[in-house]
Amino acid sequence: MYILFEEHQYDSRLVENILKDIYVLQDVDKKVSVQYVGYFYNPHLHDCVFILPKVLLTEKETLVGMVLPTGEEVAPEQVLTPKGQEKLSKEYRKFIYEFSVWIYRALNVFYKANPQSKAILYKRLPQAGRGSRHRANTYLDIVLSLISFNQENRDFVLFTIKNLHRGNNKINWTRTINHSQAFIEDEDVVYLNPVNKKRIINYEEELFVIFFSILNYLNQEYGFRTPINIQYDLITGRKFRQYLHGMGKTRLMQIKYKYFSDKALQLWDLCYAFFENSYRIAINTQAQEYILAKSFNVVFEAMIDELIGTPHKHIPKGLADQDDGKRVDHIYTDLALTSADAQMNREVYYIGDSKYYKSGHSLTSESIYKQYTYARNVIQWNVNLFAEDDSLFDNKEKEHREADKVRFDNIRLQDNSLTEGYDVIPNFFISAFVYKDHTYNDGEYNIRKHTTKDGEHCTKMSCQFPDRLFDRDTLFLSQYDVNFLYVLFLYARNKANEKAYWKQHVRKIFREEIRDVIRQKFKIYAMKARLGVDGELYLKQHFYELNGRVFQPYGEERSMFFAYAQTKDEEKQSQVQAQYDELSKYFIIKECNMGQDPQEILREDIEQDLAQPVATPQWLTIHYLERDLGRGVLVGYYKNKEQLQWILGNNDKGTLVYNVRLRLQGDQEVRDGSHTEHFYRKMNIQFVVLYTDDAEKTGEYRVFHVKDTAGKVTEERMRDTWYPLDVKGNYFFFRFDEEVSIGKLNIAKLLPDLRSKHKSEFEEYVPGEPMFTTAKSVLNYRTGF
């Protein structure tokens, strides 16, 4: 066979006969390069021509891993012709023969999956027969001919086997009487060892065993799906390897002259040719038969996407095929970098781009810029999905958007309006390499980091503010190399379980590698507001200092991340330390790497915080009730320490909050102490006075300033807030900004007076239900400050 390499510059005189039927152009130096990858039969040469991918070439335009005994690297021109290939080692020739099958399989899989693609040129390949001959010493010809024979001659095989077994169980009485001992019993003659008509040696059946053993090997090794309908004990495992190493040719030669039919002779030819590649087999030849990829980068992209990404047909409009005309090569959703592996509740988009280069080729600045643009478009698409007004779209678009919102509900790149932090979006490039020893499968090393000359992982960071990890403009871009032969192997075999396993393995590598890069550049801490601190209010008040540095990955849960960049600048270090010290006053802070669960990291510190006595802060903001006597005051009850801790922030939101029972219109059962939302809002509650059992004896109470209110909170939502008491029905929330002082109150006198008033207004008083009054009334119970 003849071997060409994609995009290599050949002297036109060397290849003019080889490429006679392929449309090519030469440059002014009379150099020719072929932009195809694949196989075609050249009827003028009566031989096959393979065009191999450029990834098998180095940057110096020599064959990867091929060195002559003299130490000289091999150029493509030296292996162009069959005569030149004699210089190649036996191992390399074997590699080329088998590699041709993998290329065919990959192109065939791609063609079947994309029959309308213009990237593939296809015409029927040679078929086996007993007509004119040409020397077909390529592994591909032999393999395809064996598969074709099985498809086209099933009736011949079944008919032959049926004849072979006809009469096997019929007794040959002449031989039985002559050669077996008879026993007479009651006038009956009994023969214990009757002789049937089965032949001891059946060479035609042995040929079928060898043939189907070869097909079984091809199915297992290359992923062909050739059916084997005959139930023979096939030659497999170690014994078949012995056949591959010479026993197959020897055994076939021993039974060669046992066959007379054309079909049996043809089958013997094919089986022998499989074990002896250079044997002449008969092939009916037609001109210009081929399977060629004129854009192999498209095939390579499809291979990578099949093994790593999510098919574009399953990706919403505008996400992969973006509105500005750009098309993302690979995109999929997977566990977010900020999520713990044990909690698969948050995901992000992973964005990749395939680069079909020669081994060692470096990225261009244009490619890097485009990849950042892809990521920014994806972020904007996600933000628009949840932020845009659906009324702006027609009904059909609304349906698509609603479906996308459900599908991507756990992918919200912007956490909330409180911190306006953005999750980290991983970007990556994938290029190919080939091991010098042409290893197809090197285990975990089939994918590796693309490293610089200094051995560092090639990862770039684009940002507006270097110390803001959770900023919209902070993007990371990594580069990886995959073993081209292994990717080709997986794609060509087309086995779902193998592809799924490697996809999971590779995605985990991407996730962990980018986490390592971030750990080297940033220190990351888990944060949680201390008991009695309204973390939400603090973040609002210090929004500018914390924007891009704080991110709340778990949405409804109050834990969040705080990150700052590693730096050797002493002045910046002192600034960061000052910010850390200030935050520590209001938040529990502990170092937490990406991929760790912040709840677990903070658990011990949170338990210590909850174990402390719930004390009133030493300094409280004083509010003078005289300034607005019409303000409403709610006097509410809490049952125990756990409920007080929940009120003071040990809830899923980390805010100071108090709940009262809500009555809805149409409720069949009216709960004691419940009121309508309209009633609560009408009371204009500005302060909440909280007390517990024995308050009249101890004189203890706490006062909180109401920041705002929340309407209906359902029973289901209430359970999610970590409420420590029994939950039943709906609730209304008063949210506080801080604990305050409205002066010293005579709580022992205030409580019974309010109960009496409450009973007269509502006809009854249920212990623990909220009571309502005004600032003017409370002044009567103030004893000082």
Side-chain angles (χ1 to χ4, degrees), residues 143 146-151 154 211-212 215-216 218-219 223-229:
V143 167
L146 282 163
I147 293 172
S148 177
F149 184 92
N150 184 55
Q151 293 172 342
R154 293 177 185 175
F211 170 60
F212 287 115
L215 293 182
N216 180 63
L218 295 176
N219 285 345
F224 289 102
R225 292 188 173 89
T226 305
I228 300 175
N229 301 320

Side-chain angles (χ1 to χ4, degrees), residues 349-442:
Y349 307 102
Y350 287 69
I351 307 167
D353 193 23
S354 298
K355 292 302 173 188
Y356 177 58
Y357 294 146
K358 293 178 182 176
S359 294
H361 195 286
S362 57
L363 292 171
T364 64
S365 57
E366 179 184 4
S367 298
I368 295 171
Y369 180 82
K370 288 169 67 175
Q371 193 65 16
Y372 287 137
T373 304
Y374 295 153
R376 291 187 178 97
N377 287 345
V378 167
I379 293 171
Q380 189 61 55
W381 184 91
N382 183 264
V383 171
N384 290 345
L385 179 63
F386 296 102
E388 283 186 334
D389 185 356
D390 284 347
S391 64
L392 301 174
F393 302 93
D394 60 34
N395 291 334
K396 187 174 182 181
E397 288 179 314
K398 284 181 183 178
E399 290 179 7
H400 288 303
R401 287 174 59 81
E402 287 302 320
D404 291 339
K405 286 179 182 179
V406 172
R407 178 179 173 187
F408 296 110
D409 184 57
N410 63 334
I411 308 177
R412 300 204 181 203
L413 302 182
Q414 186 184 33
D415 57 356
N416 51 50
S417 59
L418 178 62
T419 64
E420 294 188 11
Y422 286 82
D423 215 337
V424 181
I425 300 294
N427 290 259
F428 55 89
F429 285 110
I430 295 181
S431 50
F433 76 96
V434 175
Y435 280 111
K436 291 183 178 181
D437 61 356
H438 305 109
T439 299
Y440 274 86
N441 190 350
D442 198 24

